[in-house]
Amino acid sequence: MTTAQPSPPNIIFILADNLGWGELGCYGGGVLRGAPTPRIDALAAEGIRFTNFNVESDCVPTRSALMTGRHPIRTGALQSVPAGLPQGIVPWEITLAQLISRQGYASACFGKWHLGDRPGRYPTDRGFDEWYGIPRTSNESMFTASPGYDPSVTPLPYVMQARAGEPASDVHVYDLEARRRIDAELTERTIEFIQRQSKANKPFFAYVPITQLHYPTLPHRDFAGRTGAGDFADSMVEMDSRVGQIVDALDATGLAERTLLVFGSDNGPEFRRPWRGTAGPWTGTYHTAMEGALRVPFMMRWPGHIPPGRVTNEIVHIVDLYPTLARIAGASAPTDRPIDGLDQTDFLLDAQAHSAREGFVYYIKQELRAAKWRDWKMHVVWEAEPNAGAKHLESPLLFNLTRDPKEETDVGSEASWVRTPIRRMIHAFQQTLKEHPPIPAGAPDDYVPGAGKERQHDGVKREK
Amino acid sequence: MTTAQPSPPNIIFILADNLGWGELGCYGGGVLRGAPTPRIDALAAEGIRFTNFNVESDCVPTRSALMTGRHPIRTGALQSVPAGLPQGIVPWEITLAQLISRQGYASACFGKWHLGDRPGRYPTDRGFDEWYGIPRTSNESMFTASPGYDPSVTPLPYVMQARAGEPASDVHVYDLEARRRIDAELTERTIEFIQRQSKANKPFFAYVPITQLHYPTLPHRDFAGRTGAGDFADSMVEMDSRVGQIVDALDATGLAERTLLVFGSDNGPEFRRPWRGTAGPWTGTYHTAMEGALRVPFMMRWPGHIPPGRVTNEIVHIVDLYPTLARIAGASAPTDRPIDGLDQTDFLLDAQAHSAREGFVYYIKQELRAAKWRDWKMHVVWEAEPNAGAKHLESPLLFNLTRDPKEETDVGSEASWVRTPIRRMIHAFQQTLKEHPPIPAGAPDDYVPGAGKERQHDGVKREK
């Protein structure tokens, strides 16, 4: 079935940080977590809510997957890396922001980038017109309060800003007080951008990777003590309020029906204490292959295009947003490289009952950990809690996620037929890795897959 | 604040068996478990849904608590016991059915009793006018299919029926086929009772302790294969449908607004495979002191009296239903014995914002395992999975259930002030055990607390 293609909408994409499946009210958290989330719950009710939306193992890999449509094993953006060490995606990658910007969108990134922290790799080098936020991640805000911290060794973290074509600049140190304020700043700038662009004669793409609930999970002073349940709950209430502010600002422009609003999380809940989150009925946290790492809260609202009140348990993956949002913006994903994402436009717009996807492979760094297919997940490496010690399984474990959401009962013997499609899927993926060798982690700017390192990149970096 | 007392309503109380917190759609399960539960979800939406309703450790203790308003440590009904061995509650106990029947209610029990399996202890000896169901529990339905089973050693289990004042009789053997059919039979009889009593000039009390999802979790043949997700999901869909049938029958009589409809579970999910259930965001199963054992799905509908759409996370306990339902029926709980239940009528009818209860103690058999107070739970014995081995803790573990629903992070040091109210609550309870020594498990019919064993019971048994 073909979907009548509406004219390219504005896109606002709010990506929460380390927000587990079980936190929001509409996912069974909310009041139970001491933090009602009425604004996000309402957003879900006005559009589609995913109960089986899947991501990569943590911040960097998921952001790489979102921006490239490719599993991070391909891009080399495998993990969070300290400042000054090689990190992020090489300029040869074509970002979602580039695809969308080429369609004439105004684009901005307000928030945490984490895909490269030096000139040539900032958001404004990779398809966004403007950026305000942090190049890496929020735990760096603890540096200046850490006894013995030496900024001559580990550089001071900064909130930064940039415009395309201009050098990025430091705004102020990202310390604990700045960490409390950052989401307010991002919200304010997002709203200013929406208001500004609502008067422009072109669609806009606002990518808003906010910093809550990443540790240290400290709320803005305006929200401190709000819930009586501690910093974590206060921060969640703040997050809900920030989302509400953005929704209100959008709706006030009258552009709601011409805007696809996306809200979701980059990965499963934090495992570190005292900021440990919850994946609700699932087991595990990010940095594992448990279902609590794979599934995250995700929702989309687009009045008149996405039917309200829809809840789907179909498998969708963060890599799918690359071809899907590209298509919605009128663009196409590149065809000169493996793209793992599948176009879910017809599924989203209700023209197709089922997801384009039945399963996916799941790596942590360079190691295949598990693969999920329909109701089942096979673990080839078992590590239910980060740092528990990865067990490489002689006999892989197979779980039925409907019957056994906590992954406690191996059904590998009774359902051994399931190994066939899962092994087939893994084999097919690994074949593509042979045909298109992965980009090494920390590859230089001029790295081009299939070429010698001496070959210069193809100019994508400056293209927009 | 005082609640205007409405005229005593009919009461229909459907008690599911081993239904974990995470199973129903309105508790985050449903489709995720392969089993949508639209009828029960609708029931919840039409009344009050509890997210912090607490029970005892398993079938027998919870049923004892419901019928006596007393923690099972007091009644001696501590665990499931094979046929022929002493079990259940002594006749000295005054059951909820007795209290309600004395107010002129017609009363019936359709389902699993589990509080005594010999004459003098059947439901019709303990306050109900009529009974159809099983005296003990559903795993006995596996006997006849068990290789080597010898009915001369372990008696055949029967579905039974009785009327007050007449001897109970066996109806048919409770085997696997009967297990599949039993909830259909209970539903049919419940509906017949509702229809019959709707024409009578007195209120009615239908206590319907259905058998799903207790193991063996086998659906009626009409539902087998319905979901494609296996017996467990099929059985849940059947359960939802049975509840729907009862609701429809009630609503068809026009008595909805004169009927308090209660639906809930007796304890946490099953731990045994392949029938293992889920407690959703909580850890643990029944037979533990984890939150997954304590909290169960519970809801009440009474149009015009209980506001629709209310969801409460206030702590309520199964023992509270004894004085609460008694009061709603116009009766009072006895004052000659310790009653642990608190009257929650004002809270239910929205005349009081908070539960009458802030916490409770939790025993498994005769051992104090934990105590819960406001957001916290203290474990004095740790056993996260049944049979894992109970660890008696030198330093009790304290968890904040809002911040840490899976009970993973001890906050005993940072929140040591909480030990004071919890220890105070435990001390007060244990004082009452000294003043009113518990009834021993397996006590004979003539047992009267505080009297010599030779003293005859006080005649409550035949009183109605």
Side-chain angles (χ1 to χ4, degrees):
Chain A
M1 195 187 291
T2 319
T3 309
Q5 195 68 34
S7 69
N10 307 306
I11 300 171
I12 300 175
F13 191 137
I14 305 171
L15 187 67
D17 204 355
N18 295 3
L19 175 68
W21 202 93
E23 303 293 9
L24 302 172
C26 55
Y27 283 87
V31 173
L32 284 187
R33 298 287 284 148
T37 53
R39 298 307 307 265
I40 299 174
D41 300 348
L43 197 60
E46 291 163 15
I48 184 169
R49 183 169 70 85
F50 298 85
T51 59
N52 202 348
F53 191 98
N54 299 270
V55 291
E56 304 288 353
S57 64
D58 55 291
C59 296
V60 168
T62 286
R63 285 154 213 264
S64 168
L66 171 64
M67 281 295 146
T68 67
R70 292 148 48 83
H71 287 303
I73 181 74
R74 297 193 194 280
T75 68
L78 301 174
Q79 62 184 307
S80 186
V81 169
L85 291 171
Q87 60 186 279
I89 52 175
V90 299
W92 174 84
E93 297 285 357
I94 300 173
T95 70
L96 177 62
Q98 287 176 297
L99 291 183
I100 292 178
S101 289
R102 286 173 189 167
Q103 299 301 312
Y105 276 64
S107 63
C109 172
F110 299 111
K112 164 176 165 173
W113 178 236
H114 225 177
L115 290 176
D117 65 345
R118 63 177 186 271
R121 297 199 176 194
Y122 290 127
T124 40
D125 300 315
R126 306 301 281 115
F128 290 100
D129 299 334
E130 48 192 294
W131 170 49
Y132 184 96
I134 53 173
R136 290 173 308 272
T137 185
S138 289
N139 41 296
E140 296 183 352
S141 68
M142 302 169 80
F143 286 177
T144 56
S146 180
Y149 168 65
D150 184 345
S152 74
V153 176
T154 300
L156 277 169
Y158 280 90
V159 174
M160 300 184 71
Q161 63 184 1
R163 298 195 62 83
E166 297 172 13
S169 61
D170 295 337
V171 181
H172 56 73
V173 171
Y174 192 43
D175 59 12
L176 288 176
E177 279 304 313
R179 192 272 168 276
R180 289 182 183 273
R181 289 194 312 268
I182 181 89
D183 279 6
E185 292 183 293
L186 301 176
T187 302
E188 185 186 330
R189 280 164 177 78
T190 301
I191 290 172
E192 189 277 327
F193 177 78
I194 292 169
Q195 289 170 340
R196 184 188 350 136
Q197 293 308 133
S198 71
K199 295 163 198 146
N201 196 21
K202 60 199 298 200
F204 64 82
F205 172 38
Y207 172 52
V208 190
I210 58 175
T211 68
Q212 294 290 7
L213 306 168
H214 197 291
Y215 80 99
T217 315
L218 297 171
H220 191 283
R221 295 276 176 202
D222 290 352
F223 288 85
R226 183 73 67 94
T227 66
D231 286 335
F232 195 92
D234 290 347
S235 298
M236 192 147 74
V237 164
E238 177 185 355
M239 179 183 69
D240 188 66
S241 173
R242 300 294 172 213
V243 171
Q245 287 177 270
I246 293 171
V247 172
D248 288 345
L250 169 66
D251 292 354
T253 63
L255 292 175
E257 301 197 357
R258 287 169 52 200
T259 304
L260 170 63
L261 192 50
V262 181
F263 176 85
S265 177
D266 62 340
N267 48 244
E270 180 58 68
F271 64 87
R272 297 172 181 89
R273 296 173 168 89
W275 310 286
R276 194 173 174 99
T278 182
W282 317 109
T283 298
T285 65
Y286 74 155
H287 291 282
T288 74
M290 304 304 290
E291 204 60 11
L294 272 55
R295 291 198 209 206
V296 293
F298 231 89
M299 59 193 70
M300 298 186 188
R301 185 193 85 163
W302 188 9
H305 300 276
I306 294 176
R310 190 168 161 210
V311 179
T312 178
N313 198 35
E314 295 277 311
I315 295 176
V316 178
H317 196 283
I318 188 81
V319 288
D320 297 340
L321 296 186
Y322 182 84
T324 303
L325 296 182
R327 178 168 160 208
I328 286 173
S332 298
T335 54
D336 64 343
R337 62 198 68 197
I339 298 293
D340 299 303
L342 299 177
D343 180 3
Q344 300 281 13
T345 312
D346 288 346
F347 172 61
L348 280 183
L349 302 186
D350 218 19
Q352 183 179 297
H354 294 289
S355 166
R357 173 183 297 282
E358 287 202 307
F360 58 91
V361 295
Y362 185 79
Y363 283 71
I364 295 184
K365 300 188 180 76
Q366 281 154 324
E367 182 172 71
L368 178 72
R369 288 292 185 101
K372 185 161 142 181
W373 180 80
R374 294 191 186 169
D375 279 347
W376 289 270
K377 188 161 73 187
M378 188 172 84
H379 293 257
V380 295
V381 178
W382 179 257
E383 192 176 34
E385 172 84 11
N387 298 350
K391 287 199 290 189
H392 293 77
L393 302 169
E394 173 62 19
S395 172
L397 295 171
L398 183 71
F399 299 103
N400 182 303
L401 301 169
T402 299
R403 295 182 55 180
D404 177 23
K406 295 196 200 300
E407 297 168 85
E408 298 173 312
T409 305
D410 176 30
V411 294
S413 305
E414 76 179 67
S416 63
W417 70 273
V418 176
R419 290 188 219 160
T420 304
I422 290 186
R423 285 290 185 196
R424 193 184 289 144
M425 188 172 66
I426 292 171
H427 177 78
F429 183 79
Q430 291 180 333
Q431 277 300 113
T432 70
L433 293 183
K434 285 180 188 154
E435 291 156 19
H436 304 271
I439 299 174
D445 283 356
D446 61 359
Y447 187 90
V448 172
K453 273 189 68 172
E454 67 284 2
R455 184 173 148 190
Q456 295 303 303
H457 66 75
D458 65 358
V460 166
K461 173 185 150 196
R462 287 185 193 79
E463 184 189 348
K464 256 206 47 196
Chain B
M1 196 187 292
T2 320
T3 309
Q5 194 68 33
S7 68
N10 307 305
I11 300 171
I12 300 174
F13 192 137
I14 305 172
L15 187 67
D17 204 356
N18 295 3
L19 175 68
W21 201 95
E23 303 293 9
L24 302 172
C26 55
Y27 283 87
V31 173
L32 284 187
R33 299 287 284 148
T37 53
R39 298 306 307 266
I40 299 174
D41 299 348
L43 197 60
E46 291 163 15
I48 184 170
R49 183 168 71 85
F50 299 85
T51 59
N52 201 349
F53 191 98
N54 299 270
V55 291
E56 305 288 353
S57 64
D58 55 292
C59 296
V60 169
T62 286
R63 285 154 213 264
S64 168
L66 171 64
M67 281 294 147
T68 66
R70 292 148 50 82
H71 287 303
I73 181 75
R74 298 194 193 280
T75 68
L78 301 174
Q79 62 184 308
S80 186
V81 170
L85 291 171
Q87 61 187 278
I89 52 175
V90 299
W92 174 83
E93 296 285 357
I94 301 172
T95 70
L96 177 62
Q98 287 177 296
L99 291 182
I100 292 178
S101 289
R102 285 173 190 168
Q103 299 301 311
Y105 277 65
S107 63
C109 172
F110 300 111
K112 163 175 165 173
W113 178 236
H114 225 177
L115 290 176
D117 65 345
R118 62 176 187 271
R121 297 198 177 195
Y122 290 127
T124 39
D125 300 315
R126 306 302 280 115
F128 290 101
D129 299 334
E130 50 192 293
W131 170 49
Y132 184 95
I134 53 172
R136 290 173 308 273
T137 185
S138 289
N139 41 295
E140 296 183 351
S141 68
M142 301 170 80
F143 286 177
T144 55
S146 180
Y149 168 65
D150 184 344
S152 74
V153 176
T154 300
L156 277 169
Y158 280 90
V159 174
M160 300 183 71
Q161 63 184 2
R163 299 195 61 83
E166 297 172 13
S169 61
D170 295 336
V171 181
H172 56 73
V173 171
Y174 192 43
D175 59 13
L176 289 176
E177 278 304 313
R179 192 272 168 276
R180 289 182 184 273
R181 289 194 313 268
I182 181 89
D183 279 6
E185 292 183 293
L186 301 177
T187 302
E188 185 185 331
R189 280 163 177 77
T190 301
I191 290 171
E192 188 278 327
F193 176 78
I194 292 169
Q195 289 170 341
R196 185 190 347 137
Q197 292 309 132
S198 71
K199 295 163 197 147
N201 196 20
K202 59 198 300 199
F204 64 82
F205 172 38
Y207 172 52
V208 190
I210 58 174
T211 68
Q212 294 290 8
L213 305 169
H214 197 290
Y215 80 99
T217 314
L218 297 171
H220 191 284
R221 295 275 176 203
D222 291 351
F223 288 85
R226 183 73 67 94
T227 66
D231 286 335
F232 195 91
D234 289 346
S235 299
M236 192 147 74
V237 164
E238 177 185 356
M239 179 183 69
D240 188 66
S241 173
R242 300 295 173 212
V243 171
Q245 287 177 269
I246 293 171
V247 172
D248 288 345
L250 169 66
D251 292 355
T253 64
L255 292 175
E257 301 198 357
R258 288 169 52 198
T259 304
L260 170 63
L261 192 50
V262 182
F263 176 85
S265 177
D266 62 341
N267 48 244
E270 180 57 68
F271 63 87
R272 296 172 182 89
R273 296 173 167 89
W275 310 285
R276 194 173 174 99
T278 181
W282 317 109
T283 298
T285 65
Y286 75 155
H287 291 282
T288 74
M290 304 304 290
E291 204 60 11
L294 273 55
R295 291 198 209 205
V296 293
F298 231 89
M299 58 194 71
M300 298 186 188
R301 184 193 86 162
W302 188 8
H305 301 275
I306 294 176
R310 191 169 160 210
V311 179
T312 178
N313 198 35
E314 294 277 311
I315 295 177
V316 178
H317 196 282
I318 189 81
V319 289
D320 297 340
L321 296 186
Y322 182 85
T324 303
L325 296 182
R327 177 168 161 208
I328 286 173
S332 298
T335 54
D336 65 343
R337 63 198 68 198
I339 299 293
D340 299 304
L342 299 177
D343 180 3
Q344 300 281 13
T345 313
D346 288 346
F347 172 61
L348 279 183
L349 301 185
D350 218 19
Q352 183 180 296
H354 294 289
S355 166
R357 173 183 298 282
E358 287 202 308
F360 59 90
V361 295
Y362 185 80
Y363 283 71
I364 295 184
K365 300 189 181 75
Q366 281 153 324
E367 182 172 71
L368 178 72
R369 288 292 185 100
K372 185 161 143 181
W373 180 81
R374 293 191 186 170
D375 278 347
W376 289 270
K377 188 161 74 187
M378 188 172 84
H379 293 257
V380 295
V381 178
W382 180 257
E383 192 176 32
E385 172 84 12
N387 298 350
K391 286 199 290 188
H392 293 77
L393 302 169
E394 174 61 18
S395 172
L397 295 171
L398 183 71
F399 299 103
N400 182 303
L401 301 169
T402 299
R403 294 181 56 180
D404 177 23
K406 296 196 200 299
E407 298 168 83
E408 298 173 313
T409 306
D410 177 30
V411 294
S413 305
E414 77 179 67
S416 63
W417 70 274
V418 176
R419 290 188 218 160
T420 304
I422 289 186
R423 284 289 185 196
R424 194 184 288 143
M425 187 172 66
I426 292 170
H427 178 77
F429 183 79
Q430 291 180 333
Q431 278 300 113
T432 70
L433 293 183
K434 285 181 188 153
E435 291 156 19
H436 304 272
I439 299 174
D445 283 356
D446 61 359
Y447 188 90
V448 172
K453 274 189 68 173
E454 68 283 3
R455 184 174 148 191
Q456 295 302 303
H457 65 76
D458 65 358
V460 166
K461 172 186 151 196
R462 287 184 192 81
E463 184 188 348
K464 257 207 45 195

